[in-house]
Amino acid sequence: MELDTLDLSIVDGLRLDGRVPFSTLAEVLGVSDQTVARRYRRLRAEAGLRVAGLPDGARLGYDRWMIRLQTTPDAAAAIAESLARRPDTTWVTLASGGTEVTCVVQNPGTADRDALLLQKLPRTPRVVSVRAHCLMHQFAGGAEGDTRMTRLSGEQIAALRPPPPGPDAVPALADSDRPLLAALSRDGRLGYPQLAAATGWSESTVRRRLEHLRGIGAIFFDVEVEPSWFGYNARFLLWLSVAPAHLEAVGRAMAEHPEVVFAAATTGATNLVATVICHDMAGLYEYVTHRVGPLPGVDRLESAPALRHVKQVGALLT
């Protein structure tokens, strides 16, 4: 499969609004509804395209942590899969030659976090060490639609980008929303009949609740697509030590780099983490030495190859 301009424009449109109707996307792109639907099905089947609905932990004030586990080589895969089955992990990755598991955990309260960090993980056999970094501020990734490398015009972006939550919006989720969130995490583009079946609600109730949750900024829709289809064959985690006075500037600068898909300020010995994609190892060297290294305030950098994603944007990978 080769991606052409229309394929890439469809992906760009979904990054702005993962649930945009095919009719709207088709009108903006100047093609038929059937063409967009056919291309979308092909992108899902062959390029790994997936839309997922997730709680916006930053807006909801959730407790969010990035956890690094050093394990024995024979245990890493099993521990990663166990973490991926937890509903509070949003992604889980095997890194550093298969001896490190990295995951992001978000919870509305601290009880589950304390049980995980203070009881479960330290007592897990073959876990050598546990390092937990609280996510203080996110610079890249998340609810904002990515337009850094978009092929869409300004008018097309304006037509597709959903309105932001109002200034008085108070994001909140109810326990009754769990079945809806579970269904959307598997497929963010499920129709209202499928969502009604998953929740036990009527289609009109599902529609109203989903529109309400989006309107107050409680949930957002993320897009995953296999980076190799865009020519990016190397994925890495970068852990940076940045002088506090420069942390904001470095984070904002890296958020503008097309290689960066996620960046956040954290607590811990390193205070900035980023997930980057490069064309190859030479591209990573170029990026680290010519783009990141010269940024004022960057003192030290640790890199770890992401060997395999076990869970991405809230869903287990098989």
Side-chain angles (χ1 to χ4, degrees), residues 259-276:
E259 297 89 348
V260 174
V261 296
F262 171 81
T266 73
T267 60
T270 57
N271 57 359
L272 182 64
V273 61
T275 302
V276 303

Side-chain angles (χ1 to χ4, degrees), residues 156-186:
Q156 289 173 318
I157 292 172
L160 293 173
R161 192 192 293 277
D168 298 326
V170 180
L173 291 171
D175 288 342
S176 57
D177 292 321
R178 290 180 181 178
L180 176 63
L181 293 173
L184 291 172
S185 71
R186 293 190 296 271

Side-chain angles (χ1 to χ4, degrees), residues 207-228:
R207 183 189 298 271
R208 286 195 303 270
R209 186 59 180 168
L210 184 52
E211 289 176 354
H212 172 73
L213 293 176
R214 295 194 73 183
I216 62 175
I219 64 173
F220 73 100
F221 290 87
D222 206 351
V223 175
E224 278 289 342
V225 66
E226 175 54 45
S228 60

